[in-house]
Every structure is written in C-alpha cells, then in structure tokens.
Amino acid sequence: MKKSSIIAVCIALAVILLAGGGVLGYSIAENSRVNIDYQAVLQGISCGNGPVYVIGHKNPDTDTVCSAIAYANLLKNLGINAEARTTGPVNEETRFVLDYFGVNAPPVLENAAGKSIIAVDHNSYTQAVDGMDAADILGIIDHHNTSGISTSSPVYYLGMPVGATATIVWISYLESGIEISKQDAGLLASAILSDTADLRSSTTTALDAQALGYLADIAGISDIDDYYQKMQKAAASYTGMSDDEIFHSDYKEYDMSGNKVGIAVVNAAGREKADEMSKRMTECMKQIPADKRLDNIYVIIIDRENNTSKLIFYGAGAEEIAKAAFGMDDKGDVSFPNIPSRKKDIVPALTEMYKHKGSSNMMHENMIHE
Ligand code: MN
Ligand code: MN
C-alpha cells in the first residue's frame, strides 16, 4: 500500500472511531438515568453499636446544627438508627432558625469516645467534640479543607468545595430520593444563608444558589432577603450573653506551623455597634486564660448592616502578621470592604504568614491532636 493510502485509511478509521465515540457518549448519558442504589451504601454504614450520632463542630453555627439535624433525618428515613447531636448550646442565630421552623435543638454530646459518629461541617480534631480520636467515625460530610480526622475503617466521605455543608446534605436527599420535609428544607436553606452570607461570601457556588432556591421554595420562605435580615438581627443581638460567650459563639482554633491560633467571628449591626464590639472584644481577648496556651488570637468583627468587616488581633507578632497578610487602611486598621470567609480568605492567608514566621516556643506537645 502506498503511504498516502495508509494515511487515508488512518483518517477514515479515526473518523469512524470519533463518530462511534459520539454515539457511545450519547448512550452513556442515556444510561446514567439509572437509579443508583445510594440507600444501600448509606445503610451499610450503620452498625449495631447504639445510634449513629450526627454531629457538627465545637461552638456550633447554623450550618453545623441544621446540617446535623437534616442529615440525621435523612438517615432515619433510610431506616438507620441516627440521631443529631450538638457539641454545646446553639447561638442566637441558630436559636432563631430553630424556633422559626418549630424544631428543638439537638441534645449535647459531651464526649464521642466509643460512639458511632458521622461528623458534619468539620474534619479536624481541633474543632471536634472531645473524644473524637477514640470514636468510631463512620462518615464525614464537609466543605472544609481536609485537616486531620483519621479513621481505622473505610469511611463514607462526602466533601465538596461549596458554600455550606447544607448544600451537600441537599444533594444527598436528591440522590437518595427521600422527600425532604418542610422543616428540614427550612433549616438547610437557613444554613446556606448563614454560611454564604446570603450568597455573597466568596465561598458561594452556583450549587448553593440552586439549593437555596429549591429549599426556600419547599420551606415557604417567600422573601429570602427579608428572612435573612431577621437571621442577621438575631445573630447580632447576643441577648443576655457575656463578652466571653460572644467571643466563643463562633470561635475556632488552628495549628499554623506549630502556632496555636484562635479566630473568632463576631457580628454587629451598624458602624457604631461594630466599633463598640471591637473595643469589647479587644478587652475580652486579653482575658483569655493563659492555660489555653494560644499564641495569637484574631477576631473578625462584621458590620452586618454595611457588609463590611475589620480584623482585630492579640498576642506577640499578631499585628505584624495580620498587616502583612491583609494590608491596612488609612486609619492603620486591618479592614475589609466586604465579609471575608474565615475558611477561604482569613485562614489560608494567615497560614501562609505563619509558615514564614516558623514555630513558636509557647507550644507544648499534645496540645492539639494533630
Ligand atoms: Mn460551620
Ligand atoms: Mn459550614
């Protein structure tokens, strides 16, 4: 055969293969409409060792509490002995959401040791309830960076870079074919609103917007912005709470290159309230007991009326690190023209700075289980 004939045959073969691939692609798309036996996989994670506790992180927020409740209800609908738990009392915003939809706050689980656990909205020991390192972790449903929880057995792990764990729970409902109740839809919609700051946070994805629309519809939330304003008002009210309780209401700890760093998020309604809260939290940070052995503390003060925020800090070197990470405004403050996400904006930038700073000698081994 001549060289040109060989080339012609090759081209003809390539065309046939490509055309065939197209047909094949079409048939795969058609076949993807099969019912996946999702329920069987989930049912496989249940075990005989008492109920499966679905639980979020310490200092629970609305996403952590509502995702735990709705996911536990999904599992119950699949015949699994599951119960939602929290790590402590719920915050003002979550209280408002639960009351709005007539749902009780889950009981507190003090210690996870020896218990069957599905962790939602976190995957690190530093943010988990005590005893998690001795728990039987069956599942993790989360939207954070992976950072530490390890399991001895194969684990049901659902992780997605979306704005709220609630969005992943919504997908789980769709995949399992279980109808979501009005209450659970309301809780999940609220969780998405809370974690994404009404879809404005930098962590927001198109999937969160889709989930929110779908869930708000089932929940009967007709004016989403108005409902979110009510949540915000509750979040910034901190009724009857001490400054220390306000500080800890949305507080997380991190190990950054051997430095133990605490980061709190505090809400205020309006500039004046934000300035006042900033002063109160500055005092509060100084009172954090030395036995917590924190190297640095940061508080993100959010003005919920103007959607702006400010970062305040405490501890040796914290100011330098904050200013190197985020710059400063003309008043010498570290401020933001929006609401930064702790997990996507603040933590990665600070983590990078601590890499250069190196390890602190304040740290003791075994302080955190990582
Ligand atoms: Mn959370
Ligand atoms: Mn979350």
Side-chain angles (χ1 to χ4, degrees), residues 28-157:
I28 285 170
E30 283 290 293
N31 284 338
S32 71
R33 290 189 201 126
V34 295
N35 284 325
I36 308 161
D37 200 355
Y38 185 76
Q39 305 191 2
V41 181
L42 278 171
Q43 279 156 352
I45 65 177
S46 67
C47 66
N49 185 24
V52 177
Y53 293 115
V54 184
I55 188 166
H57 54 75
K58 273 185 182 162
N59 306 309
D61 56 24
T62 300
D63 187 33
T64 235
V65 174
C66 293
S67 292
I69 294 171
Y71 200 75
N73 284 337
L74 169 64
L75 295 179
K76 272 186 227 168
N77 271 297
L78 292 169
I80 297 165
N81 181 14
E83 290 179 27
R85 288 290 183 272
T86 71
T87 53
V90 302
N91 68 30
E92 294 280 293
E93 183 193 80
T94 310
R95 167 62 51 208
F96 166 81
V97 167
L98 293 175
D99 288 350
Y100 192 94
F101 290 101
V103 178
N104 290 326
V108 172
L109 181 72
E110 304 279 356
N111 198 299
K115 305 275 197 302
S116 299
I117 296 287
I118 292 181
V120 297
D121 198 36
H122 71 301
N123 70 77
S124 76
Y125 292 119
T126 50
Q127 283 154 27
V129 65
D130 292 349
M132 192 66 103
D133 47 354
D136 184 14
I137 299 163
L138 307 178
I140 297 170
I141 319 289
D142 191 29
H143 68 135
H144 292 83
N145 59 309
T146 57
S147 57
I149 285 185
S150 60
T151 66
S152 48
S153 302
V155 64
Y156 188 88
Y157 202 137

Side-chain angles (χ1 to χ4, degrees), residues 318-329:
E319 179 171 2
E320 289 75 12
I321 284 190
K323 289 182 175 172
F326 307 108
M328 57 176 148
D329 60 23

Side-chain angles (χ1 to χ4, degrees), residues 11-12 25 46 66 70-71 91 114-115 120 126 135 143 217 219 224 241 270 295 305 312-313 330 333 368-369:
I11 290 171
S46 67
C66 293
Y71 200 75
N91 68 30
K115 305 275 197 302
V120 297
T126 50
H143 68 135
D217 200 35
I224 290 177
M241 289 169 74
D295 292 290
E305 261 178 34
I312 59 172
F313 28 77
D330 45 19
D333 292 332
I368 12 189
H369 311 259

